[in-house]
Amino acid sequence: MRDRHTTETVVDQYGADRYRPCRPADARRAVERAVAGRRGADGPARYDARALSDAVLVASELTTNAILHGGGITDFRVDVVGPGVRLSVSDRSHDLPVAVPATDDQGRRRVGGRGWPIVCRLAHDVRVADLPAGGKCITVLVPLS
């Protein structure tokens, strides 16, 4: 039996089909609910508001990248673990995320390309794993303090 605030799968709200995409807004709300619902030994656990904002941003970037570059979101999970939030986003692509230079060959600023560097800067223990059925899963830990 699991604690109802420990793991929330966003795609479950759409029904039994686990391959239905969720939106970045769904991921952001799931992170906020999971953190707000976590409990310590003496009641609701405390967290740093800026750290929660970082976790929400990382969830948004990972899900946006899965939609734009990974063929769509196949699964999203948020787990509150100790002093942090573990986020897992799966998509249909085997391609590894890449950091794109901020400027092109002529020195002009590029639009976009900042999501993966944001994730790597704010998250710890970043892991990318191939999935047996195809695609990949990116799992990160974002500290809440």
Side-chain angles (χ1 to χ4, degrees):
M1 183 169 168
R2 68 180 183 159
D3 177 10
R4 70 170 215 209
H5 296 292
T6 302
T7 303
E8 180 170 341
T9 304
V10 173
V11 292
D12 282 349
Q13 69 186 340
Y14 296 107
D17 183 2
R18 297 187 62 81
Y19 294 98
R20 234 179 239 233
C22 72
R23 300 169 299 165
D26 297 330
R28 291 189 296 267
R29 281 192 297 276
V31 170
E32 290 168 345
R33 282 193 308 266
V35 171
R38 77 182 188 147
R39 301 195 57 81
D42 56 348
R46 296 175 194 249
Y47 57 88
D48 180 274
R50 282 185 286 172
L52 175 58
S53 178
D54 289 349
V56 168
L57 177 59
V58 169
S60 187
E61 291 296 337
L62 287 173
T63 53
T64 298
N65 286 349
I67 292 167
L68 293 177
H69 310 293
I73 301 164
T74 58
D75 194 27
F76 174 83
R77 294 184 182 268
V78 54
D79 299 303
V80 178
V81 290
V85 177
R86 181 180 301 122
L87 303 169
S88 296
V89 178
S90 300
D91 64 39
R92 292 178 174 86
S93 174
H94 286 289
D95 295 340
L96 296 174
V98 294
V100 178
T103 58
D104 65 13
D105 294 337
Q106 285 89 29
R108 296 177 295 208
R109 294 195 56 79
R110 294 181 195 263
V111 175
R114 290 161 186 76
W116 185 242
I118 288 171
V119 168
C120 292
R121 182 167 187 172
L122 298 177
H124 298 229
D125 196 23
V126 177
R127 298 175 189 217
V128 181
D130 285 329
L131 297 173
K136 69 178 170 297
C137 179
I138 298 175
T139 303
V140 302
L141 180 65
V142 182
L144 287 175
S145 54

